[in-house]
Amino acid sequence: MTWPTTVDEAIALQEKLRYLVVTTTDPDLDVRVVAGLDVGYAADDRLAAVVVVLDATTLEPLDEVVVHGTTDFPYVPGLFAFREMPSLMTALGKLAVTPDLLVCDGQGVAHPRRFGLACHLGVETGIPSIGVAKSPMVSFAPPGDARGSHTDLVMDDDVVGRALRTQSGVKPVFVSVGHKIDLDRACAEVLRLAPRYRLPETTRQADQLTRLSLRDPTEHP
């Protein structure tokens, strides 16, 4: 694929592809293998795109890929996908195991144009995808303190995601549909993937590998 090189081209592509997003779940979806995706940046503009694949039941790692690279696309809120997608797609193409679900460190439809990184990855790959962000792009009411409590994320009177408490008494994460999954199922999968910590294991393990690979690229060339 030829990726946009300007802000206007990127926005136009998001506006075009957003209508391909499916916000329902196939009744036959059985998530046995799940992938976490993350991109980290070094001070010298190097990036590391990481995909970690886990057994969805045991949360044991099954596969991992690290792709090192750089990006020329500008740092523009709402367009981070165009900095990260090329390297993430390369990493996904190197997996030896095909995931049933992608869990992205970023937004899905909880995005100004309803087409965040999780949507873009889902539409490009055809794999169900979820956005799990550490911070929201809209204001929200805090959910209750108990694990599983949630409140809606609303944009222009539309519910676009949830602030979800994955552990009692800790900050929520912000879940939104990426592609081929509904919001209830997305939140259920995130809770299943976060039995002990705030972040789902997919995100935690991908983030750890990202930091390690940027600190010592020779470990993951």
Side-chain angles (χ1 to χ4, degrees):
M1 176 177 179
T2 301
W3 296 99
T5 57
T6 69
V7 169
D8 287 346
E9 289 174 349
I11 290 174
L13 185 59
Q14 287 181 332
E15 293 286 2
K16 176 183 177 181
L17 296 180
R18 61 184 280 191
Y19 297 103
L20 301 180
V21 170
V22 175
T23 58
T24 56
T25 305
D26 187 318
D28 295 328
L29 178 63
D30 183 12
V31 179
R32 298 184 181 185
V33 177
V34 59
L37 299 92
D38 185 41
V39 176
Y41 298 88
D44 58 3
D45 291 332
R46 288 181 299 115
L47 66 79
V50 169
V51 181
V52 173
V53 180
L54 307 180
D55 182 296
T57 301
T58 66
L59 303 182
E60 291 298 315
L62 301 175
D63 196 7
E64 62 183 42
V65 174
V66 178
V67 171
H68 291 280
T70 58
T71 180
D72 295 325
F73 196 86
Y75 185 92
V76 179
L79 297 178
F80 291 162
F82 296 97
R83 294 172 60 83
E84 303 180 353
M85 280 281 295
S87 295
L88 284 173
M89 290 296 292
T90 298
L92 284 167
K94 294 183 176 183
L95 289 176
V97 180
T98 301
D100 303 308
L101 179 69
L102 307 179
V103 179
C104 306
D105 181 17
Q107 309 292 346
V109 298
H111 176 276
R113 284 172 293 280
R114 308 294 194 272
F115 198 76
L117 175 64
C119 299
H120 209 148
L121 283 164
V123 168
E124 286 291 337
T125 63
I127 300 172
S129 58
I130 298 172
V132 183
K134 301 180 185 74
S135 57
M137 299 187 80
V138 296
S139 59
F140 68 99
D145 285 339
R147 170 178 160 86
S149 298
H150 59 82
T151 55
D152 290 337
L153 302 178
V154 180
M155 288 183 176
D156 301 324
D157 298 324
D158 294 329
V159 174
V160 295
R162 288 181 186 157
L164 176 66
R165 194 86 68 183
T166 53
Q167 300 298 325
S168 298
V170 303
K171 293 179 181 179
V173 296
F174 303 92
V175 180
S176 58
V177 169
H179 186 49
K180 297 175 72 172
I181 196 166
D182 64 83
L183 187 55
D184 285 342
R185 179 67 180 273
C187 288
E189 293 293 346
V190 171
L191 286 172
R192 180 162 74 124
L193 294 168
R196 296 178 59 193
Y197 301 103
R198 177 195 177 212
L199 297 176
E201 280 301 301
T202 40
T203 303
R204 269 181 22 90
Q205 294 192 32
D207 181 70
Q208 289 172 358
L209 183 54
T210 300
R211 294 171 188 271
L212 175 63
S213 65
L214 286 172
R215 197 163 56 236
D216 185 3
T218 61
E219 288 292 319
H220 298 275

